[in-house]
Amino acid sequence: MGASASRDASGGSATVVVSQKVRAGCGHDYQRWQEKVTRAAETFDGFEGTEVYPPGTDSSNEWVVVFRFGRLDQLTSWLDSERRRSLLMEGEPLFEGPQAQEVLRGGASVRQDTVTAVVSHDVRRGREKDFLHWQSRVLKAQEKFPGFRGSELFQPVDGVQDRWVAMFRFDTRGHLDEWLESDERAKLLKEGRNYFTAYDVRKVPSAFSGWFRFGERAGEEVPPNWKQAMSVVLALYPTVTVLNLTAGHAFGDLGLPGYLGLFFSNCLSVAILTWFLMPLVNRALAFWLTPSRSRTMRVQLTGVGVVLLCWAALITVFGLTTH
């Protein structure tokens, strides 16, 4: 598991970001095990919350879990506890590969409307200043790439872990991968081998978070991206169609250029989705969107069927009325 903690004991909160590759076919068992871990963490002083991020669209099968504590000493008390060690031994049959952990101090919490990469480095002894200078060059290169949202560098924590950890954020997974796979980064990594012996990269994905309220309470998970996308289309299609038939004509009658009419229509559609339709969709499909309530195949198929029927009904209604 990989971990990162933010802000030290002198004030603010501490965060541990845990990543773990899970054996194929063990996803549901891992989720149930992770719920036990969260319930155990809740009993420790300073616990503030948990966020669970399922694997992205790639085949890495890597889960990311974020634990938040009030202070660093409270975080380390949980990390070093006998209860946590016992749970790790219990969950070991579900894991693929060894566990890893990085503990960080300082910095902002992970934003759910961005995609974050957590990169840990084993820096060569005596090359720390060269590593810092190299990191500043990496940051300047990142800033030139589309979708870049910021970067933070965390020094080792005495007595906890020896690695340096860089966190950088992009607006989408595509933009993050564009940077990770770029020739410019490859050249920088080749140079960086002079300053560090090894590094690991982990990604913390999220999407459409502003329209989904799951995952705000301790231990609550967010819906998979494909469910979020299906639900957004369910609300977006009638919104855009109705606005085109009403506001679109009204803007045209007012003599507004097409590009301005489209801009105002987009503003209206986003407002309607955010404050009206998406909250309704969240409530109506909560049985399917909430990961903790959609464990069985029957619930999964029912949810997909409901969304598909709604799509078909909307297409039929608008097909008949617009003619």
Side-chain angles (χ1 to χ4, degrees):
M1 295 188 178
S4 48
S6 66
R7 286 184 270 184
D8 60 22
S10 62
S13 64
T15 302
V16 63
V17 179
V18 182
S19 62
Q20 176 65 60
K21 286 190 176 182
V22 177
R23 295 184 185 277
C26 294
H28 289 305
D29 292 334
Y30 175 79
Q31 285 179 294
R32 287 191 287 269
W33 173 83
Q34 187 59 60
E35 289 170 0
K36 292 176 63 177
V37 175
T38 297
R39 289 194 296 270
E42 289 173 346
T43 64
F44 280 71
D45 290 341
F47 177 82
E48 293 183 349
T50 306
E51 301 160 23
V52 179
Y53 298 87
T57 56
D58 55 27
S59 58
S60 65
N61 214 25
E62 186 172 45
W63 292 70
V64 178
V65 184
V66 179
F67 292 89
R68 303 188 187 281
F69 282 78
R71 301 195 311 268
L72 180 60
D73 60 332
Q74 294 169 332
L75 170 64
T76 55
S77 177
W78 155 246
L79 293 177
D80 297 336
S81 67
E82 184 63 33
R83 177 58 175 152
R84 180 171 180 267
R85 280 195 290 268
S86 175
L87 285 166
L88 288 175
M89 290 180 62
E90 178 184 333
E92 192 168 353
L94 306 174
F95 306 154
E96 180 181 323
Q99 300 173 0
Q101 177 172 296
E102 302 90 34
V103 177
L104 324 176
R105 288 189 298 185
S109 60
V110 176
R111 288 175 53 88
Q112 291 208 25
D113 57 349
T114 59
V115 182
T116 302
V118 181
V119 187
S120 58
H121 305 80
D122 294 321
V123 177
R124 299 180 187 275
R125 190 177 299 275
R127 304 304 300 269
E128 291 83 2
K129 289 185 178 179
D130 294 328
F131 175 77
L132 286 171
H133 178 68
W134 175 80
Q135 276 289 344
S136 67
R137 294 179 57 198
V138 172
L139 175 59
K140 289 180 181 178
Q142 288 173 334
E143 290 173 342
K144 299 176 183 178
F145 276 70
F148 179 70
R149 291 293 181 266
S151 176
E152 298 169 83
L153 181 64
F154 301 85
Q155 297 185 17
V157 180
D158 293 338
V160 180
Q161 66 100 25
D162 300 326
R163 279 166 287 189
W164 293 68
V165 181
M167 295 178 63
F168 46 88
R169 305 180 180 92
F170 282 78
D171 58 348
T172 67
R173 180 64 172 268
H175 283 151
L176 171 61
D177 289 339
E178 184 178 342
W179 159 249
L180 291 176
E181 299 167 6
S182 67
D183 292 338
E184 189 165 359
R185 179 172 180 268
K187 293 178 182 178
L188 286 166
L189 284 176
K190 184 176 180 180
E191 177 189 341
R193 291 292 187 178
N194 296 319
Y195 316 127
F196 58 83
T197 58
Y199 74 97
D200 295 309
V201 180
R202 280 170 288 277
K203 303 173 186 178
V204 182
S206 182
F208 301 118
S209 59
W211 287 336
F212 291 86
R213 301 306 178 190
F214 307 103
E216 294 184 339
R217 294 189 295 274
E220 191 176 36
E221 304 169 26
V222 296
N225 288 349
W226 65 273
K227 289 187 179 182
Q228 296 183 32
M230 288 186 70
S231 303
V232 170
V233 171
L234 178 60
L236 182 64
Y237 173 61
T239 302
V240 172
T241 304
V242 171
L243 285 176
N244 283 340
L245 295 173
T246 56
H249 291 301
F251 292 144
D253 293 340
L254 292 174
L256 289 177
Y259 63 89
L260 277 181
L262 183 61
F263 171 77
F264 290 127
S265 292
N266 286 339
C267 290
L268 285 172
S269 65
V270 170
I272 292 170
L273 285 171
T274 301
W275 288 291
F276 180 62
L277 285 183
M278 285 312 301
L280 290 178
V281 170
N282 286 342
R283 288 194 293 270
L285 298 178
F287 75 95
W288 175 65
L289 286 171
T290 309
S292 60
R293 296 173 60 183
S294 58
R295 302 292 192 198
T296 66
M297 182 60 67
R298 180 179 179 181
V299 173
Q300 298 281 19
L301 294 176
T302 300
V304 172
V306 168
V307 175
L308 292 177
L309 284 174
C310 290
W311 285 359
L314 289 170
I315 291 172
T316 301
V317 169
F318 288 125
L320 293 173
T321 55
T322 53
H323 282 305

